[in-house]
């Protein structure tokens, strides 16, 4: 009798709407599943035969029945053998929480839909993204460069393609970092904008034409003018 | 006395009364009043919602509801959105379309979510349903623009075509020109997910021009900015518009025609799209901003000051999707400009970066919650949180119905106290009494689940990741959350105990997903054997679970209630735990919609036939194991087990075997079985011998 194992302390499970149909008693000629299907079809027919409870049994919230049907008698207390301090040692875990870099490799985390991730990846690539639809071959999609300002913790990213001159870039950077740095207006003259070019050198921004600049810039850094050597 | 009253109403009167009852819950209640109401109701039910396509079979639905006009089906579990469900898992809609093609010739609406749809399905829809009106494919995959062309060409009454978030093989924009010139009934078109660079702009413009009832138009990225004015000019009645690319070199004439086009759209309430934004073009939408109720800026990679400038023009905003470039300061500004805000979603711009690239913290969310009393739905990605912030949110927004918080680094503690965030989330469930959906993150112990079980009585969907300490956590949720329908868990130390102790709770829910937890294979088998109305699916790409000890944890587990029994379209890495796993047979391979026969599986003939389980029309062929390219030219057996009662599978008479030269062999040879749907695709089955439990290698 299949219910023997867990009948201790439990009420009987929901009345079997396919009672009378013994799944174990099929002839060998009949594939077992046919029996199952037959039973279910019969159950479906039971619907129209005064079996008012069928729906309720299947999907209702008949509390007293459901609370008691379990496959394991468990007191609901944490197991004394479990050492909560050692929970981190789960071998099945796919992530070693001490290794922050692995977070990138955890599948499906953070929970962002795949197509959204694709768009982020496109937008964060430095350089021209393929598939130019516009006739002007120079205008591709975004070019993101990191911008770091001395004394500010956060490294930001700006899309160089949004600007058409050093002036507009500088204005935008001022607005961007104004909240972080909180300087008086005239203090801005104490800062200069430098950039990392393709050859790996840090240069002062402004010397080369804008178009060449955006093709060469890899990173931006705003540093304080401490030495009058350049001014 | 009651019976007399019921009988005194003719059926047509009752049917007329029932036609005012639209909600599924009410309809179900009506159908259970008495036998005659059940009968009347089932003949006049027009709309069906099936939250899990494997919970019931198409035949069962058709048998009970013969006159359905609108169907909604959902396939894969929610975690499929984040790549946790391997490709090929299932969710095929073809069997449904095939059955409905015959049974519901007047079907008007099909709405699918996370299902595999093929071009063949779309062609079948196009030719089977003469009055077809609505096709919504939400997060679906498997089809191309060729299938869409078939729909466009045949469905003269089509009103809505919505492909949102679907993965479509975009072969170019020519499908749009398949809408005949006489076709004018389009009301809603969402093709924003199409990825090709080609789009047939002239066909699009003509279509928009002649469909005067068009209310929703969401373009894809391929449509350039300078075409927007033209399109909007032809559809000033639009209510919901999604741009394509919203960036180009700044030209004042383009800008002014764009602004003019927007300002002539007096009904516009919702904007989206805005790929590749050039900030200088944003002010073109200012004329419509004051009336906007919904704004999706989740592709807009501009910085906070520009975002704030835009949002200040939108005082009527109810729904905002935005990237975390908005930062705390921007959210503060938002909270003072948009007092009617009901839904806020903040997405991360650099989710995989090592350091934060924006200044967005818990403060942003708190400021919105403090100032926007109508806030109901939140999705927020951030890098730090505190219990104090969560308590503040809970106390100020008791009307929250959906709260999804994702702290990007798993198991992040309260940054102020370094404690777990149990108390904070506990406050959310305690104060937000109507909370229906909750996603947890951060450092969480079993305590948070105790709170959830105690307070979250209306909670229907719970998502848990990297949380909890023991089975007690899961037990609290399963035993306490009365309204729970969907539970999805990943990377939590929940094992067998809570699951088995609450087995019957699972029959009251739609589904349970557990991956990278500690549920053993033995427990899965036990659950499958003892709970016949549950399908217990073990998903494991590393090999058959019964080649390892029963105590080994399974990789992924998906349990759902079903009256249709185990399914047969499972891929090799999915096993259903069933009443008698010795007789378990499942599909090894679903041939890829290309009708190529595939031969796999071994077994003796005798055992094969006995072990066969089928639930669809089938044709049986025979082939020699060593010569799989050849099969018997005649089918040996056919049957249709979907009929009621199912036709029993016949044992093949020996004479038939011997009469065919190619298949002359003794009964004890090894054979293969090929099964076929009455409409393709081909599904192949492995036949397992009754006596062994081991899973033969393929």
């Amino acid at each position: 009798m299949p219910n023997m194992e867990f009948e201790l302390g439990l009420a009987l499970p929901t009345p079997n709407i396919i009672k009378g149909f013994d799944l174990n008693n099929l002839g060998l000629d009949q594939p077992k599943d046919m029996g199952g299907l037959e039973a279910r079809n019969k159950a479906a027919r039971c619907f129209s035969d005064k079996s008012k409870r069928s729906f309720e049994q299947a999907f209702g919230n008949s509390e007293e029945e459901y609370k008691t049907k379990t496959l394991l008698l468990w007191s609901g207390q944490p197991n004394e053998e479990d050492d909560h301090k050692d929970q981190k040692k789960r071998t099945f875990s796919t992530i070693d929480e001490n290794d922050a870099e692995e977070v990138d490799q955890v599948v499906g985390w953070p929970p962002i839909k795949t197509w959204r991730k694709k768009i982020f990846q496109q937008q964060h690539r430095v350089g021209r993204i393929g598939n130019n639809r516009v006739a002007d071959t120079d205008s591709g999609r975004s070019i993101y460069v990191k911008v770091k300002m001395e004394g500010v913790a956060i490294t930001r990213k700006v899309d160089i393609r949004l600007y058409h001159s050093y002036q507009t870039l500088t204005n935008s950077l001022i607005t961007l970092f104004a909240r972080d740095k909180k300087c008086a207006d005239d203090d801005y003259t104490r800062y200069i904008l430098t950039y990392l070019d393709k050859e790996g050198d840090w240069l002062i921004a402004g010397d080369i034409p804008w178009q060449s600049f955006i093709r060469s810039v890899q990173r931006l850094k705003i540093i304080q003018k401490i030495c009058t050597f350049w001014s | 006395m009651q019976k007399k009253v019921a009988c005194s109403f003719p059926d047509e009167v009752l049917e007329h009364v029932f036609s005012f009852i639209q909600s599924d819950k009410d309809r179900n209640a009506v159908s259970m009043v008495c036998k005659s109401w059940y009968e009347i109701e089932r003949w006049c039910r027009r709309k069906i919602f099936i939250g899990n396509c494997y919970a019931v079979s198409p035949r069962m639905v058709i048998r009970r509801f013969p006159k359905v006009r609108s169907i909604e089906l959902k396939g894969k579990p929610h975690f499929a959105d984040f790549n946790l469900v391997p490709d090929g898992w299932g969710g095929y809609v073809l069997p449904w379309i095939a059955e409905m093609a015959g049974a519901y010739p007047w079907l008007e609406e099909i709405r699918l979510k996370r299902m595999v749809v093929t071009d063949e399905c779309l062609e079948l829809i196009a030719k089977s349903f003469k009055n077809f009106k609505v096709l919504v494919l939400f997060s679906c995959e498997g089809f191309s623009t060729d299938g869409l062309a078939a729909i466009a060409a045949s469905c003269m009454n089509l009103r809505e075509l919505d492909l949102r978030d679907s993965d479509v093989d975009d072969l170019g924009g020519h499908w749009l020109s398949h809408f005949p010139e006489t076709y004018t009934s389009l009301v809603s078109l969402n093709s924003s997910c199409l990825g090709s660079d080609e789009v047939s702009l002239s066909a699009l413009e003509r279509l928009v021009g002649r469909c005067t009832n068009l209310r929703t138009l969401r373009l894809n990225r391929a449509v350039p900015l300078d075409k927007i004015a033209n399109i909007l000019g032809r559809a000033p009645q639009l209510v919901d518009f999604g741009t394509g690319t919203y960036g180009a070199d700044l030209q004042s004439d383009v800008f002014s025609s764009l602004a003019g086009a927007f300002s002539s759209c007096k009904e516009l309430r919702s904007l989206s799209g805005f790929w590749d934004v050039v900030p200088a073009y944003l002010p073109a939408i200012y004329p419509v901003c004051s009336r906007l109720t919904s704004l999706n800026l989740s592709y807009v990679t501009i910085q906070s000051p520009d975002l704030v400038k835009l949002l200040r023009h939108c005082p009527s905003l109810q729904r905002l999707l935005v990237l975390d470039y908005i930062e705390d300061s921007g959210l503060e500004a938002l909270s003072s400009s948009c007092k009617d805000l009901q839904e806020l979603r903040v997405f991360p711009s650099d989710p995989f970066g090592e350091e934060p690239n924006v200044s967005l913290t818990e403060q942003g969310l708190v400021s919105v919650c403090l100032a926007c009393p109508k806030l109901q739905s939140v999705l927020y990605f951030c890098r730090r949180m505190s219990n104090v912030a969560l308590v503040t949110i809970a106390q100020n927004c008791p009307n929250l119905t959906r709260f999804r918080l994702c702290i990007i680094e798993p198991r992040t503690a309260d940054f102020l106290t370094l404690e777990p965030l149990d108390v904070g989330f506990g406050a959310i469930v305690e104060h937000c009494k109507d909370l229906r959906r909750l996603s947890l993150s951060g450092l969480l112990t079993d305590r948070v689940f105790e709170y959830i079980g105690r307070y979250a009585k209306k909670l229907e969907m719970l998502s848990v990741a990297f949380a909890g300490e023991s089975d007690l956590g899961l037990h609290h949720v399963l035993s306490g959350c009365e309204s729970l329908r969907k539970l999805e868990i990943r990377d939590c130390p929940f094992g067998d105990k809570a699951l088995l102790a609450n087995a019957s709770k699972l029959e009251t829910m739609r589904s349970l997903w557990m991956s990278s937890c500690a549920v053993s294979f033995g427990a899965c088998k036990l659950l499958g054997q003892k709970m016949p109305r549950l399908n217990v699916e073990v998903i494991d790409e590393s090999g058959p679970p019964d080649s390892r000890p029963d105590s080994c944890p399974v990789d992924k587990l998906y349990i759902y209630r079903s009256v249709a029994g185990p399914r047969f379209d499972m891929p090799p890495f999915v096993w259903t735990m069933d009443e008698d796993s010795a007789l378990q047979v499942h599909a090894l391979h679903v041939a890829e919609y290309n009708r190529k026969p595939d031969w796999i599986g071994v077994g003796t003939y005798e055992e094969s036939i006995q072990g066969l389980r089928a639930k669809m029309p089938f044709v049986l062929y025979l082939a020699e194991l060593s010569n799989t390219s050849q099969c018997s030219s005649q089918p040996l057996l056919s049957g249709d087990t979907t009929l009621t009662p199912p036709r029993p599978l016949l044992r093949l008479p020996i004479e038939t075997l011997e009469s065919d030269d190619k298949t002359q062999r003794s009964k004890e040879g090894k054979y293969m079985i090929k099964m076929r749907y009455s409409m393709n695709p081909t599904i192949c089955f492995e036949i397992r011998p009754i006596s062994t439990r081991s899973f033969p290698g393929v």
Side-chain angles (χ1 to χ4, degrees):
Chain A
M1 278 284 293
N3 288 345
M4 280 267 217
E5 299 131 49
F6 49 89
E7 72 179 22
L8 181 68
L10 308 173
L12 287 171
T14 55
N16 199 344
I17 48 176
I18 52 173
K19 73 171 93 171
F21 202 106
D22 186 351
L23 291 173
N24 292 316
N25 208 15
L26 291 171
L28 280 176
D29 291 303
Q30 294 255 337
K32 192 97 156 101
D33 176 63
M34 300 301 182
L37 182 61
E38 175 75 49
R40 284 180 192 101
N41 289 334
K42 186 170 178 193
R45 284 196 296 276
C46 280
F47 255 156
S48 31
D49 298 337
K50 305 182 206 172
S51 183
K52 285 186 285 186
R53 297 198 60 212
S54 321
F55 221 95
E56 203 65 42
Q57 286 153 20
F59 299 114
N61 268 324
S62 187
E63 283 196 345
E64 56 286 346
E65 283 156 359
Y66 285 117
K67 268 190 182 133
T68 51
K69 182 175 184 183
T70 75
L71 295 179
L72 176 78
L73 198 55
W74 178 50
S75 58
Q77 299 304 315
N79 193 337
E80 290 76 27
E81 290 141 29
D82 292 339
D83 183 349
H84 296 278
K85 299 190 196 87
D86 290 339
Q87 280 303 313
K88 297 170 191 179
K89 290 189 195 150
R90 310 188 293 278
T91 51
F92 56 82
S93 172
T94 58
I95 167 175
D96 177 0
E97 62 180 17
N98 294 322
D99 190 350
E101 278 151 57
E102 284 217 310
V103 173
D104 280 352
Q105 293 151 26
V106 176
V107 175
W109 191 265
I112 303 171
K113 290 189 180 176
T114 321
W115 50 266
R116 223 179 250 286
K117 268 199 284 209
K118 273 194 212 147
I119 292 172
F120 293 148
Q121 282 158 4
Q122 281 175 0
Q123 289 173 335
H124 280 255
R125 241 177 279 153
V126 173
R128 213 171 52 175
I129 317 299
N131 293 342
N132 288 320
R133 317 148 336 276
V134 188
D136 177 9
T137 53
D138 261 357
S139 65
R141 296 197 177 143
S142 315
I143 295 183
Y144 277 87
V145 292
K146 288 190 179 175
V147 188
K148 184 98 176 62
M149 181 166 180
E150 258 183 10
V152 176
I154 293 191
T155 304
R156 292 182 189 278
K157 278 188 187 150
V158 288
D159 180 4
I160 288 281
R161 286 234 173 260
L162 297 179
Y163 311 101
H164 53 270
S165 68
Y166 287 108
Q167 193 57 48
T168 48
L169 172 64
T170 323
N171 287 344
S172 184
L173 291 176
I174 289 172
T175 324
L176 207 52
F177 285 100
R179 293 160 292 147
D180 301 316
K181 204 67 182 111
K182 294 187 175 48
C183 312
D185 278 326
D186 58 351
D187 280 357
Y188 293 119
T189 56
R190 294 203 287 113
Y191 289 92
I192 49 173
L193 181 63
T194 63
Y195 71 101
L196 182 71
D197 76 350
K198 272 202 282 223
E199 275 107 49
D201 299 320
W202 282 97
L203 306 170
I204 299 177
D207 289 337
I208 58 173
W210 177 255
Q211 287 300 323
S212 324
F213 170 73
I214 56 177
R215 277 193 283 269
S216 175
V217 62
Q218 305 294 307
R219 285 185 160 228
L220 290 167
K221 196 168 2 166
I222 303 170
I223 60 176
Q224 273 191 317
K225 240 193 264 184
I226 47 166
C227 173
T228 54
F229 184 78
W230 290 298
S231 58
Chain B
M1 192 52 65
Q2 292 293 355
K3 202 172 173 186
K4 274 190 188 167
V5 170
C7 287
S8 66
F9 283 112
D11 287 0
E12 301 82 57
V13 172
L14 281 172
E15 196 175 311
H16 182 68
V17 172
F18 293 168
S19 70
F20 293 100
I21 300 170
Q22 304 290 346
S23 106
D24 286 333
K25 264 193 190 154
D26 292 342
R27 280 262 171 177
N28 291 344
V30 159
S31 69
M32 294 206 293
V33 165
C34 64
K35 181 179 156 195
S36 64
W37 280 36
Y38 174 88
E39 277 301 308
I40 298 168
E41 194 281 320
R42 78 182 186 90
W43 280 93
C44 67
R45 176 111 47 141
R46 294 283 176 263
K47 203 168 167 166
I48 293 283
F49 168 78
I50 295 164
N52 175 3
C53 64
Y54 292 119
V56 68
S57 74
R59 291 249 162 174
M60 289 165 128
V61 174
I62 291 167
R63 192 168 44 226
R64 180 171 173 193
F65 300 112
K67 297 277 179 192
V68 161
R69 297 270 167 91
S70 164
I71 187 161
E72 182 174 347
L73 283 167
K74 296 189 181 180
K76 300 187 206 173
H78 173 241
F79 272 175
D81 284 352
F82 316 128
N83 282 345
L84 285 174
V85 178
D87 274 344
W89 172 85
Y92 305 104
V93 80
L94 183 60
W96 288 86
I97 309 285
E99 298 278 3
M100 293 191 300
Y104 296 150
W106 298 110
L107 191 70
E108 294 176 0
E109 304 180 353
I110 295 176
R111 293 180 172 85
L112 307 175
K113 188 168 182 181
R114 284 190 213 102
M115 294 199 76
V116 177
V117 183
T118 60
D119 285 346
E120 186 183 359
C121 294
L122 296 175
E123 286 155 20
L124 194 53
I125 291 172
K127 76 173 184 236
S128 310
F129 308 118
K130 299 297 167 209
N131 201 23
F132 195 65
K133 293 188 177 147
V134 172
L135 184 62
V136 176
L137 302 175
F138 192 163
S139 290
C140 295
E141 56 170 352
F143 61 102
S144 78
T145 43
D146 284 349
L148 298 177
I151 299 274
S154 309
C155 301
M156 292 311 295
N157 291 319
L158 190 73
R159 289 214 286 256
E160 187 174 334
L161 180 59
D162 185 342
L163 309 172
R164 64 173 99 159
D165 297 0
S166 288
D167 185 5
V168 187
D169 189 6
D170 189 354
L171 306 167
H174 307 294
W175 68 276
L176 273 174
S177 32
H178 286 253
F179 281 110
E181 289 301 318
T182 49
Y183 167 75
T184 57
S185 20
L186 196 63
V187 173
S188 171
L189 175 63
N190 179 355
S191 54
S192 54
C193 60
L194 295 181
S196 159
D197 283 340
E198 289 172 37
V199 66
S200 178
L201 286 169
S202 53
L204 176 64
E205 284 169 6
R206 283 197 314 274
L207 179 68
V208 169
R210 63 181 186 269
C211 295
T212 51
N213 287 325
L214 196 64
R215 290 281 178 273
T216 297
L217 179 64
R218 295 197 183 182
L219 305 170
N220 57 324
R221 207 169 177 175
V223 179
L225 178 135
D226 53 14
K227 294 293 175 192
I228 294 178
N230 214 346
I231 291 169
L232 284 181
R234 293 163 191 248
Q237 76 281 3
L238 279 179
V239 173
D240 181 330
F241 180 63
T243 75
T245 296
Y246 204 76
D249 289 336
L250 187 53
Q251 287 170 308
S252 59
D253 54 337
V254 172
F255 180 92
S256 49
S257 56
L258 195 57
F262 273 115
S263 51
S264 63
C265 294
K266 305 290 183 202
E267 309 296 323
L268 209 50
R269 296 288 177 271
S270 168
L271 282 179
S272 57
F274 298 110
W275 285 284
D276 315 309
V277 152
V278 164
Y281 274 112
L282 278 176
I285 68 170
Y286 286 177
V288 294
C289 281
S290 61
R291 291 185 292 267
L292 282 183
T293 56
S294 169
L295 193 49
N296 182 349
L297 302 174
S298 60
Y299 310 115
V300 174
T301 53
I302 63 176
Q303 302 289 347
S304 180
D306 293 315
L307 285 168
V308 168
K309 234 183 349 181
L310 170 58
L311 291 170
R312 282 209 200 285
H313 285 82
C314 309
S316 315
L317 208 57
Q318 294 170 11
R319 185 167 183 263
L320 176 66
L321 282 68
V322 73
L323 285 172
D324 58 4
Y325 287 123
I326 193 167
E327 299 191 327
D328 290 340
S329 56
L331 288 174
E332 171 124 29
L334 173 73
S335 67
S336 60
S337 317
C338 306
K339 290 299 187 193
D340 284 344
L341 200 67
Q342 292 173 17
E343 179 173 353
L344 175 67
R345 298 194 190 197
V346 179
F347 295 98
S349 53
D350 191 12
F352 306 108
E354 304 97 45
E355 315 135 10
N357 64 321
V358 290
S359 180
L360 178 101
T361 68
E362 81 290 353
Q363 284 310 312
L365 182 58
V366 169
S367 57
V368 175
C369 290
L370 284 174
C372 300
K374 298 186 187 170
L375 197 64
Q376 279 180 10
S377 173
V378 170
L379 170 62
Y380 200 75
F381 284 81
C382 60
R383 290 177 191 266
R384 73 176 204 198
M385 188 49 63
S386 65
N387 282 309
V388 126
L390 285 170
V391 171
T392 308
I393 290 167
Q395 287 170 341
N396 284 279
C397 281
N399 295 321
L400 284 175
T401 55
R402 291 186 287 272
F403 187 73
R404 292 191 279 166
L405 179 68
C406 178
I407 304 168
I408 290 180
E409 175 79 29
R411 303 194 195 89
T412 302
D414 178 330
F415 78 98
L416 293 170
T417 65
L418 298 183
E419 285 172 2
L421 292 171
D422 301 333
V423 166
F425 279 105
I428 295 278
V429 291
E430 186 182 353
H431 292 271
C432 306
K433 304 215 186 298
D434 290 323
L435 196 69
R436 292 196 313 264
R437 185 167 181 185
L438 177 65
S439 296
L440 306 172
S441 59
L443 182 65
L444 297 164
T445 70
D446 285 344
R447 259 183 100 199
V448 71
F449 299 108
E450 192 189 328
Y451 294 138
I452 291 172
R454 188 188 312 163
Y455 293 115
K457 295 306 180 187
K458 298 248 180 93
L459 192 67
E460 295 176 5
M461 182 169 177
L462 178 64
S463 307
V464 186
F466 305 104
E469 300 162 300
S470 76
D471 273 60
L472 201 51
L474 180 57
H475 176 69
H476 284 308
V477 172
L478 289 178
S479 56
C481 295
E482 290 158 8
S483 311
L484 196 64
R485 290 188 298 116
K486 288 179 282 187
L487 178 58
E488 48 186 25
I489 302 172
R490 61 162 297 173
D491 292 275
C492 296
F494 300 143
D496 301 343
K497 292 195 282 266
L499 199 56
L500 295 177
N502 292 279
S504 49
K505 169 73 175 175
L506 300 176
E507 278 185 9
T508 70
M509 293 164 52
R510 182 186 299 171
S511 66
L512 166 65
W513 169 279
M514 292 179 76
S515 57
S516 304
C517 295
V519 180
S520 72
F521 182 55
C524 295
K525 282 197 289 190
L526 183 63
L527 207 53
Q529 282 164 19
K530 301 304 178 190
M531 307 289 293
R533 287 183 300 209
L534 291 182
N535 280 358
V536 178
E537 290 187 9
V538 171
I539 301 166
D540 201 326
E541 289 179 284
S542 62
D546 56 4
S547 63
R548 298 186 282 275
D550 275 5
S551 56
C552 259
V554 297
D555 181 23
K556 297 172 184 177
L557 176 61
Y558 185 49
I559 302 173
Y560 54 91
R561 67 183 179 190
S562 176
V563 292
R567 61 188 177 109
F568 290 91
D569 58 358
M570 293 174 289
F573 49 82
V574 177
W575 289 265
T576 296
M577 309 294 107
D578 210 335
E579 294 99 56
D580 189 342
S581 35
L583 285 181
Q584 182 56 50
V585 174
H586 67 264
L588 274 191
H589 175 76
V590 177
E592 219 192 44
Y593 322 110
N594 59 4
R595 302 177 194 95
K596 212 167 49 175
D598 234 321
W599 300 93
I600 356 175
V602 297
T604 64
Y605 169 68
E606 217 73 14
E607 293 156 341
S608 302
I609 299 300
Q610 287 159 7
L612 189 63
R613 306 168 74 167
K615 287 206 175 156
M616 65 284 298
F618 64 86
V619 177
L620 201 63
Y621 293 89
L622 214 60
E624 206 175 25
L625 185 60
S626 58
N627 186 11
T628 56
S629 58
Q630 294 215 328
C631 66
S632 56
S633 48
Q634 294 300 318
L636 298 172
L637 188 69
S638 69
D640 186 346
T641 57
T642 57
L643 296 178
T644 308
R647 217 172 282 156
L649 189 61
L650 300 172
R651 191 187 289 253
L652 191 71
I654 304 295
E655 43 275 23
T656 318
L657 251 180
E658 287 166 355
S659 64
D660 184 344
D661 287 342
K662 289 202 180 98
T663 59
Q664 198 159 18
R665 62 183 60 75
S666 69
K667 276 201 296 182
E668 284 77 46
K670 296 220 184 285
Y671 299 92
M672 293 181 175
I673 303 289
K674 186 171 92 161
M675 308 287 288
R676 201 197 297 272
Y677 269 121
S678 57
M679 320 271 310
N680 294 289
T682 305
I683 293 186
C684 301
F685 283 78
E686 186 218 358
I687 312 304
R688 292 175 62 187
I690 294 173
S691 50
T692 71
R693 285 170 152 254
S694 63
F695 191 93
V698 176

